[in-house]
Amino acid sequence: MGAPDEAAFWMSYKDFIATFNRLHTCRLFPPHWHQLTLHCGWQGPSAGGPYYQPMQPGAEPLRSPTWCFNPQFRITVRKACEVVVCLGLQDPRVEARKHVSKAARKRTAGMMVLRVPSSYLGRRWEISGPVEVVASTGLSGGRDSSITFQAESSAAYVVVPHTGRAGDEAAFVLRLFSSNPLEVEQLPSPLSLVLGGQWTGLLAGGPATSSTFGSNPQYMISTAHKAEVVFTVSRLDVRYAVLKPLHSPEQCVGLYLCYPEITAEGTSGRRTGIFRKEEVVAESGFSSMDNAVMTVTLEPCTPYVLIPALAHPGLEAPFELSILSGVPVELVPLPELKTIVLQGSWRAETAGGCDLHPTWRKNPRFLLALQKPCSLRAIVAESTFVTSHTNSTEYSLQGGTPYIIIPCTYSPGRPGLFTLSLSAMEDFELVQL
């Protein structure tokens, strides 16, 4: 007890293992090392959770649509050096935190360090590959965790602390130690745009392979500056279900980003369908019943059409569309229309030509049935003869009366393929005779 340094003592190994069951090893940094301390926290939207969301039985692992909301810190160094990043949480055992529930006391947290080009100044919206991840702590229920990595002056590094579950709020302290000077900045929070919608009635168009794909809700997207944007569509009936339904591929949700369709008047409008791969900018696929996430780089002053869809036509569900970006993005909902696209062909015996020829009645015929009067738009694409050639016309038709639509070429005997697309604000049926 009378020793000058009361922190140092000797005891036998037998007594040591009988008395202690845990050993903490602390690293003491030299006085010339640089140190920074940042106080921050996960609160509200910034509680984004881990990169991969919990998997449904039978579903593939998907990245979380909220991970990019987590606080992010950009690190740069002028000279290569060793950097240590420590993530510290409040100790739930302290007296002032007795009011915190036991579930909150068992909260887990971790962090990732991502390597990005030195010219990259924005947030990270997704992880492009395993090479980008310099280090990761994984999830830990301890009071603190740390990462050590070698920082190069030719790159920048983004530190992303996160909790083990989206929505878990907590305060944290980020401490950084380096053998050479470093610069740290907290990246601005992303701009968020959220709106609701639903697939119902004539709007339940289904995937791009469906003839009614163009009936899905559609939105015109544009931005004044080049921007990396995260699009997310979530099924609200699945998200808030008390009992999560079993995974079903036909119930999954997806996203398409396409170039707008050019009308006969030369204006950009809704997509009636996808006829060439070049018309699609990006698509998320159909892997989850809960949500679909898609990260796309948008070019400035370029219009795009965003189309949320379900994996099967006719399915009805409410959805929430979220757009995250570092710069403002303009979104305009397009008018709701029911669209049906059917493929057809003129064969040798059905290529009757226009009505100036006696063989005109041999052309393919389609039966149109309207329930209410409406304006109808019909488009015939003769891709076999002239590239991107379309013939568009609009009619006001009476409901309750059947109509016959006859696509034809001007001259008879011209076999080929065509696409017939009809759009209307009211419900209708279209079948080939």
Side-chain angles (χ1 to χ4, degrees):
M1 295 296 296
D5 187 357
E6 296 181 357
F9 60 91
W10 291 90
M11 63 189 306
S12 67
Y13 179 70
K14 181 179 179 181
D15 293 338
F16 177 80
I17 61 176
T19 306
F20 301 102
N21 62 5
R22 184 172 298 178
L23 178 66
H24 295 273
T25 303
C26 300
R27 179 176 180 178
L28 302 179
F29 296 97
H32 67 276
W33 273 50
H34 299 266
Q35 303 183 20
L36 289 174
T37 302
L38 302 173
H39 294 267
C40 194
W42 301 284
Q43 185 176 10
S46 67
Y51 187 75
Y52 288 104
Q53 60 186 358
M55 293 182 296
Q56 297 176 346
E60 299 179 359
L62 298 174
R63 68 183 181 95
S64 169
T66 58
W67 173 83
C68 55
F69 275 115
N70 285 301
Q72 299 187 13
F73 303 86
R74 185 175 184 269
I75 299 176
T76 54
V77 296
R78 296 184 178 181
K79 186 177 180 181
C81 63
E82 181 183 3
V83 177
V84 180
V85 183
C86 299
L87 175 65
L89 305 178
Q90 291 180 332
D91 194 337
R93 297 172 297 178
V94 298
E95 186 72 19
R97 290 179 58 81
K98 284 186 176 180
H99 66 283
V100 180
S101 63
K102 291 183 178 180
R105 297 182 189 183
K106 296 180 180 179
R107 180 181 294 114
T108 58
M111 59 178 166
M112 307 173 69
V113 178
L114 310 177
R115 179 188 175 98
V116 298
S118 58
S119 58
Y120 190 88
L121 305 177
R123 297 177 63 89
R124 292 305 295 157
W125 306 101
E126 65 176 347
I127 300 175
S128 57
V131 179
E132 186 178 349
V133 181
V134 176
S136 176
T137 62
L139 294 175
S140 171
R143 188 174 58 181
D144 52 33
S145 57
S146 63
I147 286 179
T148 302
F149 67 97
Q150 293 292 325
E152 303 291 338
S153 59
S154 59
Y157 301 87
V158 177
V159 180
V160 187
H162 60 85
T163 56
R165 185 179 59 181
D168 286 347
E169 298 183 347
F172 66 84
V173 176
L174 201 66
R175 294 180 296 155
L176 300 101
F177 306 87
S178 63
S179 55
N180 287 319
L182 78 165
E183 296 181 359
V184 182
E185 61 172 325
Q186 183 173 357
L187 299 177
S189 300
L191 300 176
S192 177
L193 178 62
V194 180
L195 70 159
Q198 57 181 346
W199 297 286
T200 180
L202 56 86
L203 302 180
T209 55
S210 172
S211 62
T212 57
F213 169 73
S215 302
N216 287 299
Q218 300 187 20
Y219 306 87
M220 189 72 74
I221 303 288
S222 62
T223 176
H225 306 279
K226 187 174 182 178
E228 194 171 5
V229 182
V230 179
F231 298 101
T232 304
V233 60
S234 302
R235 281 190 61 171
L236 300 182
D237 57 337
V238 175
R239 177 194 294 181
Y240 298 113
V242 178
L243 296 176
K244 297 295 184 181
L246 295 178
H247 179 76
S248 173
E250 293 186 353
Q251 296 283 339
C252 291
V253 61
L255 275 171
Y256 296 87
L257 186 69
C258 309
Y259 293 111
E261 217 169 83
I262 305 302
T263 64
E265 295 78 14
T267 59
S268 302
R270 291 177 56 96
R271 288 221 63 90
T272 58
I274 297 177
F275 310 107
R276 299 186 306 275
K277 293 182 179 180
E278 296 78 11
E279 298 171 341
V280 180
V281 180
E283 56 182 305
S284 66
F286 297 85
S287 302
S288 172
M289 293 174 55
D290 190 356
N291 57 60
V293 186
M294 183 173 61
T295 303
V296 185
T297 300
L298 301 184
E299 297 297 330
C301 303
T302 302
Y304 302 90
V305 175
L306 181 66
I307 307 174
L310 290 173
H312 195 274
L315 295 179
E316 298 187 350
F319 67 84
E320 181 181 83
L321 188 64
S322 172
I323 301 176
L324 305 178
S325 174
V327 300
V329 175
E330 183 178 359
L331 180 144
V332 178
L334 296 177
E336 297 179 354
L337 295 175
K338 178 174 181 177
T339 300
I340 296 181
V341 178
L342 296 179
Q343 306 292 333
S345 64
W346 293 289
R347 300 186 301 273
E349 63 274 13
T350 60
C354 66
D355 58 351
L356 299 178
H357 303 277
T359 56
W360 174 69
R361 294 182 179 275
K362 294 182 179 181
N363 284 296
R365 294 178 298 169
F366 296 84
L367 176 62
L368 171 65
L370 297 171
Q371 296 183 2
K372 296 180 180 180
C374 65
S375 297
L376 186 71
R377 186 183 190 89
I379 301 176
V380 179
E382 303 173 0
S383 58
T384 304
F385 310 111
V386 183
T387 304
S388 301
H389 175 71
T390 61
N391 182 10
S392 175
T393 184
E394 186 169 337
Y395 299 98
S396 294
L397 304 178
Q398 298 296 323
T401 302
Y403 295 88
I404 300 295
I405 299 177
I406 304 178
C408 60
T409 58
Y410 183 80
S411 302
R414 302 293 298 271
L417 304 176
F418 66 85
T419 300
L420 180 64
S421 172
L422 278 78
S423 299
M425 300 182 65
E426 301 293 343
D427 196 10
F428 65 92
E429 296 296 332
L430 179 68
V431 294
Q432 185 172 4
L433 298 175

